[in-house]
Amino acid sequence: MYISTRDNYPAVSAAEAIKLGMVPTGGLFVPQDIPVLTQDELNLLVGKTYQEVAAKILALYLDDYTSGEIAGCIYNAYKGNFAHKEITPLHQLTDSTYILELWHGPTAAFKDMALQLMPHLLSLALQKLKVKEEMVILVATSGDTGKAALEGFKDVPGLRIICFYPYKGVSQIQERQMVTTEGENTYVVGVEGNFDDCQNAVKALFADEAFRSFLAEQGFALSSANSINWGRLLPQIVYYVFAYINLIKEGRIKLGEKINFVVPTGNFGNILAAWYAGRMGLPIHKLICASNENKVLTDFFRSGVYEKNRPFKQTISPSMDILISSNLERFLFEMNGRDAVSITTWMKDLQEIGHFAVGETVQKAINEILWAGFATEEQTLATIKEIFTKYGYTLDTHTAVGMKVYEQYVAETGDETVTVLDSTASPFKFTASVLEALTGSQLTLRDSLNDRNGTTEEFALLKELSRKIDMPIHPALQDLEKKPILHQRVCPKGKIKQEVCNILKLEL
Ligand SMILES: *Cc1c(COP(=O)(O)O)cnc(C)c1O
């Protein structure tokens, strides 16, 4: 069963938690009991395929799904849509550093790992719960989630998906990926605001009971595909286990040996999945939480004070440009001994005054498992160049933030533990910045990020990058500029509710 982090809702089944997305009265669903993966079970997984590992992990969390249903979902999610047969291959960089490539899916970013699977879990949940309403999936995206969700939900019967992104706040390639999405049930809206504006507006709609009952009367129900949905988090636990057993298989570590994971972090979903893997029994020494110049998490983990009142920066790792990390609530719930009362107070403070403080005990509990740091824009670019020059391996901007923070971690701690760095996007997804890092020449970076009507420069750069790093363009990004633009909606940040009504052809 799944319970609310704010103890304000009855416990629900996995299907119900996935259907609801977040707790209707505020708060997030977490598993009431975190299942255990014993060392024996872990050992038995060595040599298994990604799909087999996924079946094992999912079954531990979804006891209202049959093993046949789980197998079907996994089959559909990871059959031909991934460009690598291992799904998430490990690339060895040094004796002790490995890169976990999470971007071989259909949109070239790690969010495919969850979003190729989650719609199947949701669609089954709706059947199980005999839901009659048409589900409307609302997504707020900082760039990558949007396309990954659109691809995952495209043409799934009984569902529509509406995706909000910060207009002029994502890369040209990210935007083009979204606005060329096909499917009868997909809608894409540029919002005149930043990612937090999009996310807050979507959260407000979920919390708006009058609006929800109005929709229900018209035959619609809302759900979310953001990483606050348990159905998004669960599939991400799988690749941490898979990476670990692959290191055993290759003879790099022994069963039971602890390793580190470095995670380029935004909404705190990916790193939280690593934490769940650890709590289940996966031997983890440290989780290294890497931020860009929007370093609200680094400051929080170092001071115990979460302060969102600060300037929002648009960076070259836009999928991490976040000032409110939604999944942190789940982590804090586990770190404070599951005390829903303080979670409720902290989240209320965050919403009303923009900050909260967790106190020494919680901070200490966090620091035992987690180390946080951030990389500046210059450091990120320099790291891409450095790793390419030293190892001939190309990092995208987000992964480079992770690499830089890992270097800082090693410099500060001297830790030599085997470490896996999550690579969250293909370098081709952020071509302009990667090329700028490699060539040192100032490309029209800012312009291509900001100017919707600018040249198609970033697409031409794909070929240039491909030549430079001697690697084929990621299949998801080939011929993108030739695809027709199918979505043109733009709305002010205060008008998101109205936009939803327009799309559903409803009068408020
Ligand atoms: C979403 C995203 C992140 C951040 O992941 P969270 O789960 O939100 O912390 C990092 N890198 C890339 C490329 C992403 O798309």
Side-chain angles (χ1 to χ4, degrees), residues 150-186:
L150 289 162
E151 279 301 308
F153 283 96
K154 182 172 83 182
D155 289 331
V156 177
L159 289 167
R160 298 202 206 188
I161 174 163
I162 308 177
C163 180
F164 298 96
Y165 73 94
Y167 184 56
K168 301 188 177 183
V170 300
S171 85
Q172 199 174 40
I173 286 175
Q174 285 178 318
E175 182 175 64
R176 188 63 68 98
Q177 280 187 294
M178 288 190 275
V179 298
T180 56
T181 306
E182 295 167 354
E184 291 298 314
N185 63 341
T186 59

Coordinates of all heavy atoms in Angstrom, one line a residue, residues 150-186:
L150 N 5.2 12.7 -24.0 CA 4.4 12.7 -25.2 C 4.6 11.4 -26.0 O 3.7 10.8 -26.5 CB 4.8 13.9 -26.1 CG 4.4 15.3 -25.6 CD1 5.2 16.4 -26.3 CD2 2.9 15.5 -25.8
E151 N 5.9 11.0 -26.1 CA 6.1 9.7 -26.8 C 5.5 8.5 -26.1 O 5.0 7.6 -26.7 CB 7.6 9.5 -27.0 CG 8.3 10.3 -28.1 CD 7.7 9.9 -29.5 OE1 7.6 8.8 -29.8 OE2 7.3 10.9 -30.2
G152 N 5.6 8.5 -24.8 CA 5.1 7.4 -24.0 C 3.6 7.3 -24.1 O 3.0 6.2 -24.1
F153 N 2.9 8.4 -24.1 CA 1.4 8.4 -24.0 C 0.7 8.5 -25.4 O -0.5 8.4 -25.5 CB 1.0 9.6 -23.2 CG 1.1 9.3 -21.7 CD1 2.2 9.8 -21.0 CD2 0.1 8.6 -21.0 CE1 2.4 9.5 -19.6 CE2 0.3 8.3 -19.6 CZ 1.4 8.8 -19.0
K154 N 1.5 8.9 -26.4 CA 1.0 9.1 -27.7 C 0.0 7.9 -28.1 O 0.4 6.8 -28.1 CB 2.2 9.2 -28.7 CG 1.9 9.4 -30.1 CD 3.1 9.7 -30.9 CE 3.8 8.4 -31.3 NZ 5.1 8.7 -32.0
D155 N -1.2 8.3 -28.5 CA -2.2 7.3 -29.0 C -2.5 6.1 -28.0 O -3.0 5.1 -28.5 CB -1.7 6.7 -30.4 CG -1.8 7.8 -31.5 OD1 -2.7 8.6 -31.4 OD2 -1.0 7.7 -32.4
V156 N -2.3 6.3 -26.7 CA -2.8 5.3 -25.8 C -4.3 5.6 -25.6 O -4.6 6.8 -25.2 CB -2.0 5.4 -24.4 CG1 -2.6 4.5 -23.4 CG2 -0.5 5.2 -24.6
P157 N -5.1 4.6 -25.8 CA -6.6 4.9 -25.8 C -7.1 5.3 -24.4 O -6.5 4.9 -23.4 CB -7.2 3.6 -26.2 CG -6.1 2.6 -26.6 CD -4.8 3.2 -26.2
G158 N -8.1 6.2 -24.4 CA -8.6 6.6 -23.1 C -7.8 7.7 -22.4 O -8.1 8.0 -21.2
L159 N -6.8 8.2 -23.0 CA -5.9 9.2 -22.4 C -5.6 10.3 -23.3 O -5.5 10.2 -24.5 CB -4.5 8.5 -22.1 CG -4.4 7.4 -21.0 CD1 -3.1 6.7 -21.1 CD2 -4.5 8.1 -19.7
R160 N -5.5 11.5 -22.7 CA -4.9 12.7 -23.5 C -3.8 13.2 -22.7 O -3.7 13.1 -21.5 CB -5.9 13.8 -23.6 CG -7.2 13.4 -24.3 CD -7.8 14.7 -24.8 NE -9.2 14.5 -24.9 CZ -10.0 15.4 -25.5 NH1 -9.5 16.5 -25.9 NH2 -11.3 15.2 -25.6
I161 N -2.8 13.8 -23.4 CA -1.7 14.4 -22.7 C -1.5 15.8 -23.1 O -1.5 16.2 -24.3 CB -0.4 13.5 -22.9 CG1 0.8 14.3 -22.2 CG2 -0.2 13.2 -24.3 CD1 2.0 13.4 -22.0
I162 N -1.4 16.7 -22.1 CA -1.2 18.1 -22.3 C 0.1 18.5 -21.6 O 0.3 18.3 -20.4 CB -2.3 19.0 -21.7 CG1 -3.7 18.5 -22.2 CG2 -2.1 20.5 -22.1 CD1 -4.8 19.3 -21.6
C163 N 1.0 19.0 -22.4 CA 2.4 19.3 -21.9 C 2.7 20.8 -21.9 O 2.6 21.4 -23.0 CB 3.3 18.5 -22.9 SG 4.9 18.6 -22.5
F164 N 3.1 21.3 -20.8 CA 3.4 22.7 -20.6 C 4.9 22.9 -20.5 O 5.5 22.3 -19.6 CB 2.7 23.3 -19.4 CG 1.2 23.3 -19.5 CD1 0.5 22.3 -18.9 CD2 0.5 24.3 -20.2 CE1 -0.9 22.2 -18.9 CE2 -0.8 24.2 -20.2 CZ -1.5 23.2 -19.6
Y165 N 5.5 23.7 -21.3 CA 7.0 24.0 -21.2 C 7.2 25.5 -21.1 O 6.4 26.3 -21.6 CB 7.7 23.3 -22.3 CG 7.6 24.0 -23.7 CD1 8.5 24.9 -24.1 CD2 6.5 23.7 -24.5 CE1 8.4 25.6 -25.3 CE2 6.4 24.3 -25.7 CZ 7.3 25.3 -26.1 OH 7.2 25.9 -27.3
P166 N 8.3 25.9 -20.5 CA 8.7 27.3 -20.5 C 9.0 27.8 -21.9 O 10.0 27.4 -22.5 CB 9.9 27.4 -19.5 CG 10.4 26.1 -19.4 CD 9.3 25.1 -19.8
Y167 N 8.2 28.6 -22.4 CA 8.4 29.2 -23.8 C 9.7 30.0 -23.8 O 9.9 30.8 -23.0 CB 7.2 30.1 -24.1 CG 7.1 30.6 -25.5 CD1 7.2 29.8 -26.6 CD2 7.0 32.0 -25.7 CE1 7.1 30.3 -27.9 CE2 7.0 32.5 -27.0 CZ 7.0 31.7 -28.0 OH 7.0 32.2 -29.3
K168 N 10.5 29.6 -24.8 CA 11.9 30.2 -24.9 C 12.8 29.8 -23.8 O 13.8 30.4 -23.6 CB 11.8 31.8 -25.0 CG 11.0 32.2 -26.2 CD 11.1 33.7 -26.5 CE 10.3 34.0 -27.7 NZ 10.4 35.4 -28.1
G169 N 12.4 28.8 -23.0 CA 13.2 28.4 -21.9 C 13.8 27.0 -22.1 O 14.3 26.4 -21.1
V170 N 13.7 26.5 -23.3 CA 14.3 25.1 -23.5 C 15.1 25.2 -24.8 O 15.0 26.3 -25.5 CB 13.2 24.1 -23.7 CG1 12.3 23.9 -22.5 CG2 12.3 24.3 -24.9
S171 N 15.9 24.2 -25.1 CA 16.7 24.3 -26.3 C 15.9 24.2 -27.5 O 14.8 23.6 -27.5 CB 17.8 23.3 -26.3 OG 17.4 22.1 -26.8
Q172 N 16.4 24.7 -28.6 CA 15.7 24.6 -29.9 C 15.4 23.2 -30.3 O 14.3 22.9 -30.7 CB 16.6 25.2 -30.9 CG 16.0 25.7 -32.2 CD 16.9 26.4 -33.1 OE1 18.1 25.9 -33.2 NE2 16.5 27.4 -33.7
I173 N 16.3 22.3 -30.0 CA 16.1 20.9 -30.3 C 15.0 20.3 -29.4 O 14.1 19.6 -29.9 CB 17.4 20.1 -30.2 CG1 18.3 20.4 -31.5 CG2 17.2 18.6 -30.2 CD1 19.7 19.8 -31.5
Q174 N 15.1 20.6 -28.1 CA 14.0 20.1 -27.2 C 12.7 20.6 -27.7 O 11.7 19.8 -27.7 CB 14.3 20.6 -25.8 CG 15.4 20.0 -25.1 CD 15.6 20.6 -23.7 OE1 15.6 21.8 -23.5 NE2 15.8 19.7 -22.7
E175 N 12.6 21.9 -28.0 CA 11.3 22.4 -28.4 C 10.8 21.7 -29.7 O 9.7 21.3 -29.8 CB 11.4 23.9 -28.6 CG 10.1 24.5 -29.0 CD 10.2 26.0 -29.1 OE1 10.9 26.5 -30.0 OE2 9.5 26.7 -28.3
R176 N 11.7 21.6 -30.7 CA 11.3 21.0 -31.9 C 10.9 19.5 -31.7 O 10.0 19.1 -32.4 CB 12.5 21.1 -32.9 CG 12.1 20.6 -34.4 CD 11.0 21.5 -35.0 NE 11.5 22.9 -35.2 CZ 12.0 23.3 -36.4 NH1 11.9 22.5 -37.5 NH2 12.4 24.5 -36.6
Q177 N 11.6 18.8 -30.8 CA 11.1 17.5 -30.5 C 9.7 17.5 -30.1 O 8.9 16.6 -30.5 CB 12.0 16.8 -29.4 CG 13.3 16.3 -29.9 CD 14.0 15.6 -28.8 OE1 14.4 16.2 -27.8 NE2 14.2 14.3 -28.9
M178 N 9.3 18.4 -29.2 CA 7.9 18.4 -28.7 C 6.9 18.8 -29.7 O 5.9 18.2 -29.8 CB 7.9 19.4 -27.5 CG 8.6 18.8 -26.2 SD 8.2 19.7 -24.7 CE 9.5 21.0 -24.9
V179 N 7.2 19.9 -30.4 CA 6.1 20.5 -31.3 C 6.0 19.7 -32.6 O 5.1 20.0 -33.3 CB 6.4 22.0 -31.6 CG1 6.3 22.8 -30.3 CG2 7.7 22.2 -32.4
T180 N 6.8 18.7 -32.8 CA 6.6 17.8 -33.9 C 5.9 16.5 -33.6 O 5.8 15.6 -34.4 CB 7.9 17.5 -34.6 OG1 8.8 16.9 -33.7 CG2 8.6 18.8 -35.2
T181 N 5.5 16.4 -32.3 CA 4.9 15.1 -31.8 C 3.6 14.8 -32.6 O 2.7 15.7 -32.7 CB 4.6 15.2 -30.3 OG1 5.8 15.5 -29.7 CG2 4.1 13.8 -29.8
E182 N 3.5 13.6 -33.0 CA 2.3 13.2 -33.7 C 1.3 12.6 -32.6 O 1.6 12.7 -31.5 CB 2.6 12.1 -34.8 CG 3.4 12.7 -35.9 CD 4.1 11.7 -36.8 OE1 3.9 10.5 -36.5 OE2 4.7 12.1 -37.8
G183 N 0.2 12.0 -33.1 CA -0.7 11.4 -32.2 C -2.0 12.3 -32.0 O -1.8 13.5 -31.9
E184 N -3.1 11.7 -32.0 CA -4.4 12.4 -31.9 C -4.6 13.0 -30.5 O -5.4 13.9 -30.3 CB -5.6 11.5 -32.2 CG -5.6 11.0 -33.7 CD -5.8 12.2 -34.6 OE1 -6.7 13.0 -34.3 OE2 -5.1 12.3 -35.6
N185 N -3.9 12.5 -29.5 CA -4.2 12.8 -28.1 C -3.1 13.6 -27.5 O -3.0 13.7 -26.3 CB -4.5 11.5 -27.3 CG -3.2 10.7 -27.3 OD1 -2.3 10.8 -28.1 ND2 -3.1 9.8 -26.3
T186 N -2.3 14.3 -28.3 CA -1.2 15.0 -27.7 C -1.4 16.5 -27.9 O -1.8 17.0 -29.0 CB 0.2 14.6 -28.4 OG1 0.1 14.9 -29.8 CG2 0.5 13.2 -28.1

